[in-house]
Amino acid sequence: MTLTTHAIAGAALASLTPAQPVLGFCLGFASHYALDAIPHWDYPLYSSIDPDRGGALVLDRALFIDLFDIGCDLLLGIALSFFFFGGSGALLAIIAGIAGGIAPDFLQFIYTRLPTRPIKAMQDLHNRTHSPHRLRQEGRSVLGIASQVLIIAMFVVAANILAAH
Ligand SMILES: [Zn+2]
């Protein structure tokens, strides 16, 4: 799933535990695996930054395209998270939730370069919980993008309803 969706889901959960950023991080972290279990859409990666491809990083056009896409995805996720939840006053918790939500994908990147035991365990968990359905490759990109917008909307609405109680 996109980093945008993971970031907002993490921020939404963390906004419910405003005084406990560590718990917010853990909730965001756990939500990553739950969300990845849903058949979803991802934008294509062209360089060895793709964990499925791996290998040495080469400073080429493909890497710059990937870094641009990932950077935009990440910035959009952070910006929308602050837009939706920044007003709650739980800034540290929100940041922790975003970090937890996106951390598993960065661990994948580290795994392909530094496959130490704990990181390998996290990678195994990621692989095991990840849906085998990749909607872009299955020609269902519209459904894949629409469903992520819906998931984001559900997290934002649910967090707002829960926060109001
Ligand atoms: Zn993931």
Coordinates of all heavy atoms in Angstrom, one line a residue, residues 27-79:
L27 N 0.9 1.2 17.4 CA -0.4 1.0 16.6 C -0.2 1.2 15.2 O -0.7 0.5 14.3 CB -1.4 2.0 17.2 CG -2.0 1.7 18.6 CD1 -2.8 2.9 19.1 CD2 -2.8 0.4 18.6
G28 N 0.6 2.3 14.8 CA 0.8 2.5 13.4 C 1.6 1.4 12.8 O 1.3 1.0 11.7
F29 N 2.6 0.9 13.5 CA 3.4 -0.2 13.0 C 2.5 -1.5 12.7 O 2.6 -2.1 11.7 CB 4.5 -0.6 14.1 CG 5.6 -1.4 13.6 CD1 6.7 -0.8 12.9 CD2 5.7 -2.7 13.8 CE1 7.7 -1.5 12.4 CE2 6.7 -3.5 13.3 CZ 7.8 -2.9 12.6
A30 N 1.7 -1.8 13.7 CA 0.8 -3.0 13.5 C -0.2 -2.8 12.4 O -0.5 -3.7 11.6 CB 0.0 -3.2 14.8
S31 N -0.7 -1.5 12.2 CA -1.7 -1.3 11.2 C -1.1 -1.5 9.8 O -1.8 -1.8 8.9 CB -2.2 0.2 11.3 OG -1.2 1.1 10.8
H32 N 0.2 -1.3 9.7 CA 0.9 -1.5 8.4 C 0.6 -2.9 7.8 O 0.3 -3.1 6.7 CB 2.4 -1.2 8.5 CG 3.1 -1.3 7.1 ND1 3.6 -0.1 6.6 CD2 3.4 -2.3 6.3 CE1 4.1 -0.4 5.4 NE2 4.0 -1.7 5.2
Y33 N 0.9 -3.9 8.7 CA 0.7 -5.3 8.3 C -0.8 -5.6 8.0 O -1.0 -6.4 7.1 CB 1.3 -6.2 9.4 CG 2.8 -6.0 9.6 CD1 3.2 -5.2 10.6 CD2 3.7 -6.5 8.7 CE1 4.6 -4.9 10.8 CE2 5.1 -6.2 8.9 CZ 5.5 -5.4 9.9 OH 6.8 -5.2 10.0
A34 N -1.7 -5.1 8.8 CA -3.1 -5.3 8.6 C -3.5 -4.8 7.3 O -4.3 -5.4 6.5 CB -3.9 -4.7 9.8
L35 N -3.0 -3.6 7.0 CA -3.5 -2.9 5.7 C -2.8 -3.6 4.5 O -3.5 -3.8 3.5 CB -3.1 -1.4 5.7 CG -3.9 -0.5 6.6 CD1 -3.3 0.9 6.7 CD2 -5.3 -0.4 6.1
D36 N -1.6 -4.0 4.6 CA -1.0 -4.7 3.5 C -1.6 -6.1 3.2 O -1.4 -6.7 2.1 CB 0.5 -5.0 3.8 CG 1.4 -3.8 3.3 OD1 0.8 -2.9 2.6 OD2 2.6 -3.8 3.5
A37 N -2.4 -6.6 4.2 CA -3.0 -7.9 4.0 C -4.2 -7.7 3.1 O -4.7 -8.7 2.5 CB -3.5 -8.5 5.3
I38 N -4.7 -6.5 2.9 CA -5.8 -6.2 2.0 C -5.3 -6.1 0.6 O -4.3 -5.5 0.3 CB -6.5 -4.9 2.4 CG1 -7.0 -4.9 3.8 CG2 -7.6 -4.5 1.4 CD1 -7.4 -3.5 4.3
P39 N -5.9 -6.8 -0.4 CA -5.5 -6.7 -1.8 C -5.4 -5.2 -2.2 O -6.4 -4.4 -1.9 CB -6.5 -7.4 -2.6 CG -7.1 -8.4 -1.7 CD -7.1 -7.7 -0.3
H40 N -4.2 -4.7 -2.7 CA -4.1 -3.3 -2.9 C -3.3 -2.9 -4.1 O -2.7 -3.8 -4.7 CB -3.5 -2.6 -1.6 CG -2.2 -3.2 -1.2 ND1 -2.1 -4.3 -0.4 CD2 -0.9 -2.8 -1.5 CE1 -0.8 -4.5 -0.2 NE2 -0.1 -3.7 -0.9
W41 N -3.1 -1.6 -4.3 CA -2.4 -1.1 -5.4 C -1.2 -0.4 -5.0 O -1.1 0.2 -3.9 CB -3.3 0.0 -6.1 CG -2.7 0.7 -7.2 CD1 -2.8 0.4 -8.6 CD2 -2.0 2.0 -7.2 NE1 -2.1 1.3 -9.3 CE2 -1.7 2.3 -8.5 CE3 -1.6 2.8 -6.1 CZ2 -0.9 3.5 -8.8 CZ3 -0.9 4.0 -6.4 CH2 -0.6 4.3 -7.8
D42 N -0.1 -0.5 -5.8 CA 1.1 0.2 -5.5 C 1.7 0.8 -6.8 O 1.5 0.2 -7.8 CB 2.2 -0.8 -4.9 CG 2.1 -0.9 -3.4 OD1 2.1 0.1 -2.7 OD2 2.0 -2.1 -3.0
Y43 N 2.3 1.9 -6.7 CA 2.9 2.5 -7.9 C 4.2 1.7 -8.3 O 4.8 1.1 -7.4 CB 3.2 4.0 -7.8 CG 3.9 4.4 -6.5 CD1 5.3 4.4 -6.4 CD2 3.2 4.8 -5.4 CE1 6.0 4.8 -5.3 CE2 3.8 5.2 -4.2 CZ 5.2 5.2 -4.2 OH 5.8 5.5 -3.0
P44 N 4.6 1.6 -9.5 CA 5.7 0.8 -9.9 C 7.0 1.4 -9.4 O 7.2 2.6 -9.3 CB 5.7 0.8 -11.4 CG 4.9 2.1 -11.8 CD 3.9 2.3 -10.7
L45 N 8.0 0.6 -9.1 CA 9.3 1.0 -8.7 C 10.2 0.4 -9.8 O 10.0 -0.7 -10.3 CB 9.7 0.5 -7.4 CG 9.0 1.1 -6.2 CD1 9.4 0.4 -4.9 CD2 9.3 2.6 -6.1
Y46 N 11.2 1.2 -10.2 CA 12.0 0.8 -11.4 C 13.5 0.5 -11.0 O 14.2 -0.1 -11.8 CB 12.1 2.0 -12.4 CG 10.7 2.4 -12.9 CD1 10.1 3.5 -12.3 CD2 10.0 1.6 -13.8 CE1 8.8 3.9 -12.8 CE2 8.7 2.0 -14.2 CZ 8.1 3.1 -13.7 OH 6.8 3.4 -14.1
S47 N 13.9 0.8 -9.8 CA 15.3 0.7 -9.4 C 15.4 -0.5 -8.4 O 14.5 -1.1 -8.0 CB 15.9 2.0 -8.9 OG 15.3 2.2 -7.6
S48 N 16.7 -0.7 -8.0 CA 16.9 -1.7 -7.0 C 16.4 -1.3 -5.6 O 16.6 -2.1 -4.6 CB 18.4 -2.0 -6.9 OG 19.1 -0.9 -6.5
I49 N 15.8 -0.1 -5.5 CA 15.2 0.3 -4.2 C 14.0 -0.6 -3.9 O 13.6 -0.8 -2.8 CB 14.8 1.8 -4.2 CG1 15.0 2.4 -2.9 CG2 13.4 2.0 -4.7 CD1 15.0 3.9 -2.9
D50 N 13.5 -1.2 -5.0 CA 12.4 -2.2 -4.9 C 12.9 -3.4 -4.2 O 13.8 -4.1 -4.6 CB 11.9 -2.5 -6.3 CG 10.7 -3.5 -6.3 OD1 10.4 -4.0 -5.2 OD2 10.1 -3.7 -7.4
P51 N 12.3 -3.7 -3.0 CA 12.8 -4.9 -2.2 C 12.7 -6.2 -3.0 O 13.4 -7.1 -2.7 CB 11.9 -4.9 -1.0 CG 10.7 -4.0 -1.3 CD 11.2 -3.1 -2.3
D52 N 11.7 -6.3 -4.0 CA 11.6 -7.5 -4.8 C 12.8 -7.7 -5.7 O 13.1 -8.8 -6.2 CB 10.3 -7.5 -5.6 CG 9.1 -7.6 -4.7 OD1 9.3 -8.1 -3.5 OD2 8.0 -7.2 -5.1
R53 N 13.4 -6.5 -6.0 CA 14.6 -6.6 -6.9 C 15.9 -6.6 -6.2 O 16.7 -7.5 -6.4 CB 14.5 -5.3 -7.8 CG 15.3 -5.4 -9.1 CD 15.0 -4.2 -10.0 NE 13.7 -4.3 -10.7 CZ 12.9 -3.3 -10.9 NH1 13.2 -2.1 -10.4 NH2 11.8 -3.4 -11.6
G54 N 16.0 -5.7 -5.2 CA 17.2 -5.7 -4.4 C 18.5 -5.3 -5.2 O 18.4 -4.8 -6.3
G55 N 19.6 -5.6 -4.6 CA 20.9 -5.3 -5.2 C 21.5 -4.0 -4.9 O 20.8 -3.2 -4.2
A56 N 22.6 -3.7 -5.5 CA 23.3 -2.4 -5.2 C 22.5 -1.2 -5.8 O 21.9 -1.4 -6.8 CB 24.7 -2.5 -5.8
L57 N 22.6 -0.1 -5.1 CA 21.9 1.1 -5.6 C 22.8 1.7 -6.6 O 24.0 2.0 -6.4 CB 21.7 2.1 -4.4 CG 20.5 1.8 -3.5 CD1 20.4 2.9 -2.5 CD2 19.2 1.7 -4.3
V58 N 22.2 1.9 -7.8 CA 23.0 2.6 -8.9 C 22.4 4.0 -9.1 O 21.1 4.1 -9.2 CB 22.8 1.8 -10.2 CG1 23.6 2.4 -11.3 CG2 23.2 0.3 -10.0
L59 N 23.2 5.0 -9.2 CA 22.8 6.3 -9.3 C 22.4 6.5 -10.8 O 23.1 7.0 -11.6 CB 23.8 7.3 -9.0 CG 24.1 7.6 -7.5 CD1 25.2 8.6 -7.3 CD2 22.8 8.1 -6.8
D60 N 21.2 6.1 -11.1 CA 20.7 6.3 -12.5 C 19.3 6.9 -12.5 O 18.8 7.2 -11.5 CB 20.7 4.9 -13.2 CG 19.8 3.9 -12.6 OD1 19.2 4.2 -11.6 OD2 19.8 2.7 -13.1
R61 N 18.8 7.0 -13.7 CA 17.5 7.6 -13.9 C 16.4 6.9 -13.1 O 15.5 7.5 -12.5 CB 17.2 7.6 -15.4 CG 16.2 8.6 -15.9 CD 16.0 8.4 -17.4 NE 14.6 8.3 -17.7 CZ 13.7 9.2 -17.8 NH1 14.1 10.5 -17.7 NH2 12.4 9.0 -18.1
A62 N 16.4 5.6 -13.1 CA 15.4 4.8 -12.5 C 15.4 5.1 -11.0 O 14.3 5.3 -10.4 CB 15.7 3.3 -12.7
L63 N 16.6 5.2 -10.4 CA 16.6 5.5 -8.9 C 16.0 6.9 -8.6 O 15.3 7.1 -7.7 CB 18.1 5.5 -8.4 CG 18.3 5.7 -6.9 CD1 17.6 4.6 -6.1 CD2 19.7 5.8 -6.6
F64 N 16.3 7.9 -9.5 CA 15.8 9.2 -9.3 C 14.3 9.3 -9.4 O 13.6 10.0 -8.7 CB 16.5 10.3 -10.2 CG 17.9 10.6 -9.7 CD1 19.0 10.1 -10.3 CD2 18.0 11.4 -8.5 CE1 20.3 10.4 -9.8 CE2 19.3 11.7 -8.0 CZ 20.4 11.2 -8.7
I65 N 13.8 8.5 -10.4 CA 12.3 8.5 -10.6 C 11.7 7.9 -9.3 O 10.7 8.4 -8.7 CB 12.0 7.6 -11.8 CG1 12.4 8.4 -13.1 CG2 10.5 7.3 -11.8 CD1 12.3 7.5 -14.3
D66 N 12.3 6.8 -8.8 CA 11.8 6.1 -7.6 C 11.8 7.0 -6.4 O 10.9 7.1 -5.6 CB 12.5 4.8 -7.3 CG 12.2 3.7 -8.3 OD1 11.2 3.9 -9.1 OD2 12.8 2.7 -8.3
L67 N 13.0 7.7 -6.2 CA 13.1 8.6 -5.1 C 12.1 9.7 -5.1 O 11.6 10.2 -4.1 CB 14.6 9.1 -5.0 CG 15.6 8.1 -4.5 CD1 17.0 8.7 -4.6 CD2 15.3 7.6 -3.1
F68 N 11.9 10.2 -6.3 CA 10.9 11.3 -6.5 C 9.5 10.8 -6.1 O 8.8 11.4 -5.4 CB 10.9 11.8 -8.0 CG 9.9 12.9 -8.2 CD1 10.2 14.2 -7.8 CD2 8.7 12.6 -8.8 CE1 9.3 15.2 -8.0 CE2 7.8 13.6 -9.1 CZ 8.1 14.9 -8.7
D69 N 9.1 9.6 -6.7 CA 7.8 9.1 -6.4 C 7.6 8.8 -4.9 O 6.6 9.1 -4.3 CB 7.6 7.8 -7.2 CG 7.4 8.0 -8.7 OD1 7.2 9.2 -9.0 OD2 7.5 7.0 -9.4
I70 N 8.6 8.1 -4.3 CA 8.6 7.8 -2.9 C 8.5 9.1 -2.0 O 7.8 9.2 -1.1 CB 9.7 6.9 -2.5 CG1 9.6 5.5 -3.1 CG2 9.8 6.7 -0.9 CD1 10.8 4.6 -3.0
G71 N 9.4 10.1 -2.4 CA 9.4 11.3 -1.7 C 8.0 12.0 -1.8 O 7.5 12.5 -0.7
C72 N 7.4 12.1 -2.9 CA 6.1 12.7 -3.1 C 5.1 12.0 -2.2 O 4.2 12.6 -1.6 CB 5.7 12.7 -4.5 SG 6.6 13.9 -5.5
D73 N 5.1 10.6 -2.3 CA 4.2 9.8 -1.6 C 4.3 10.1 -0.1 O 3.3 10.3 0.6 CB 4.5 8.3 -1.9 CG 3.6 7.3 -1.3 OD1 2.5 7.7 -0.8 OD2 3.9 6.1 -1.3
L74 N 5.5 10.1 0.4 CA 5.8 10.3 1.8 C 5.3 11.8 2.2 O 4.7 11.9 3.3 CB 7.3 10.2 2.1 CG 7.8 10.3 3.5 CD1 7.1 9.2 4.4 CD2 9.3 10.1 3.6
L75 N 5.7 12.8 1.4 CA 5.3 14.1 1.8 C 3.8 14.3 1.8 O 3.3 15.0 2.7 CB 6.0 15.1 0.8 CG 7.5 15.4 1.0 CD1 8.0 16.3 -0.1 CD2 7.7 16.0 2.4
L76 N 3.1 13.7 0.8 CA 1.7 13.7 0.8 C 1.1 13.1 2.1 O 0.2 13.7 2.7 CB 1.2 13.0 -0.5 CG -0.4 13.1 -0.7 CD1 -0.8 14.5 -0.9 CD2 -0.8 12.2 -1.8
G77 N 1.6 12.0 2.4 CA 1.2 11.3 3.7 C 1.4 12.2 4.9 O 0.5 12.3 5.7
I78 N 2.5 12.8 5.0 CA 2.8 13.6 6.2 C 1.9 14.9 6.2 O 1.3 15.2 7.2 CB 4.3 14.0 6.2 CG1 5.2 12.8 6.5 CG2 4.5 15.1 7.3 CD1 6.7 13.1 6.3
A79 N 1.8 15.5 5.0 CA 1.0 16.7 4.9 C -0.5 16.4 5.2 O -1.1 17.1 6.0 CB 1.1 17.3 3.5

